[in-house]
């Protein structure tokens, strides 16, 4: 009575092994196809300052891309308090580590809040664009405005730098990352600078129209 059971078990094991052998080539092929990489390189506005990281717009972006089956992994290289000078110092190592196909460059706000020279910010941003492009990455530039109490003699040329640099380097541009949010004080944290968790989806909506065409370009 035991022999039929043994033969049945052996038969099942043989079929299982054959199935694994047939599956292995597919697994090998899949493992060879590493996903593309999108690097978000910004400051506190992209680093989920004051809120849970899971609620930040970069995490929302990663979740959207996963749910929509984009074969692109999202890496958040943003650091709260980062200036363009600090970003320029960090970027080469980030490019070495992740070799991104696309970089969202969101820096400059802290330069403005500290009243740093606009021409230095412009030079740093331009150099970062050059570094990323030299590695074959597409760059999406993100602009930012600073509070009007800094005065129009500083705030207006500061804001204009992003559009001018985008035109010079032929980059896609998100003109103002948090557009539509400061006008609703209930969506801002107490510092009046950083959006609350409830507003993070609005940031993603500001970024997505400029980002989506670049994603298609990466996958061509």
């Amino acid at each position: 009575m035991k022999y039929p059971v043994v033969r049945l078990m052996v038969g099942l094991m043989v079929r299982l092994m054959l199935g694994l052998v047939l599956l292995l080539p597919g697994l090998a092929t899949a493992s060879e196809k590493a996903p593309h990489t999108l690097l978000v390189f910004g400051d506190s506005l992209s680093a989920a300052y004051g809120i849970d990281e899971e609620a930040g717009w970069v995490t929302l972006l990663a979740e959207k891309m996963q749910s929509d089956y984009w074969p692109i992994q999202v890496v958040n290289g943003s650091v709260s308090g980062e200036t363009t000078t600090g970003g320029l110092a960090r970027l080469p190592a980030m490019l070495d580590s992740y070799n991104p196909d696309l970089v969202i460059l969101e820096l400059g706000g802290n330069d403005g809040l500290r009243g740093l020279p606009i021409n230095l910010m412009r030079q740093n941003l331009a150099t970062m664009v050059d570094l990323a492009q030299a590695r074959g990455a597409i760059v999406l530039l993100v602009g930012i405005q600073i509070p009007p109490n800094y005065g129009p003699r500083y705030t207006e040329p500061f804001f204009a730098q992003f559009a001018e640099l985008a035109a010079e380097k032929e980059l896609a541009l998100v003109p103002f990352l948090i557009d539509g949010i400061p006008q609703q004080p209930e969506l801002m944290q107490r510092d009046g600078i950083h959006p609350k968790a409830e507003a993070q989806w609005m940031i993603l909506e500001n970024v997505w129209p400029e980002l989506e065409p670049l994603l298609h370009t990466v996958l061509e």
Side-chain angles (χ1 to χ4, degrees):
M1 294 297 292
K2 295 181 179 180
Y3 295 124
V5 175
V6 172
R7 286 198 295 270
L8 176 61
M9 292 179 64
V10 171
L12 288 173
M13 291 178 64
V14 170
R15 285 195 291 270
L16 178 60
M17 292 177 66
L18 286 173
L20 288 173
V21 170
L22 292 173
L23 184 60
L24 282 174
L27 291 175
T29 301
S31 66
E32 291 167 1
K33 295 179 180 177
H36 297 280
T37 302
L38 162 59
L39 172 64
V40 180
F41 197 69
D43 51 33
S44 56
L45 292 174
S46 298
Y49 175 87
I51 62 175
D52 291 337
E53 184 178 354
E54 293 74 16
W57 77 267
V58 178
T59 299
L60 297 181
L61 170 63
E63 292 173 350
K64 173 179 175 59
M65 294 180 64
Q66 183 177 19
S67 64
D68 291 347
Y69 301 103
W70 291 91
I72 301 174
Q73 64 175 338
V74 177
V75 174
N76 194 352
S78 304
V79 174
S80 293
E82 188 74 284
T83 62
T84 58
T85 299
L88 178 56
R90 285 197 308 118
L91 184 58
M94 296 294 289
L95 295 175
D96 287 340
S97 296
Y98 297 104
N99 192 28
D101 302 274
L102 200 157
V103 175
I104 298 179
L105 182 57
E106 182 273 302
L107 286 173
N110 288 307
D111 294 59
L113 294 176
R114 298 179 188 185
L116 299 178
I118 294 175
N119 62 339
L120 175 62
M121 180 190 76
R122 169 71 171 268
Q123 180 180 346
N124 288 338
L125 288 172
T127 303
M128 283 186 278
V129 170
D130 292 342
L131 287 172
Q133 290 182 333
R135 301 293 187 93
I138 299 172
V139 178
L140 171 59
L141 185 64
V142 176
I144 193 67
Q145 293 181 0
I146 55 175
N149 58 292
Y150 282 76
R153 292 183 61 184
Y154 185 82
T155 60
E156 291 179 3
F158 172 89
F159 181 59
Q161 295 302 306
F162 297 96
E164 292 175 7
L165 180 60
E168 175 188 326
K169 298 288 187 179
E170 299 183 344
L171 306 174
L173 172 70
V174 177
F176 182 26
L177 180 66
I178 60 172
D179 189 29
I181 301 174
Q183 296 85 345
Q184 304 179 61
E186 70 276 10
L187 295 178
M188 299 295 290
Q189 298 182 39
R190 288 186 178 182
D191 60 13
I193 296 174
H194 299 93
K196 294 180 179 178
E198 296 88 335
Q200 297 297 306
W201 66 270
M202 297 176 66
I203 300 178
L204 178 55
E205 286 194 340
N206 289 338
V207 173
W208 186 254
E210 300 299 331
L211 175 61
E212 184 178 17
L214 303 183
L215 297 176
H216 286 290
T217 300
V218 165
L219 297 179
E220 286 180 354

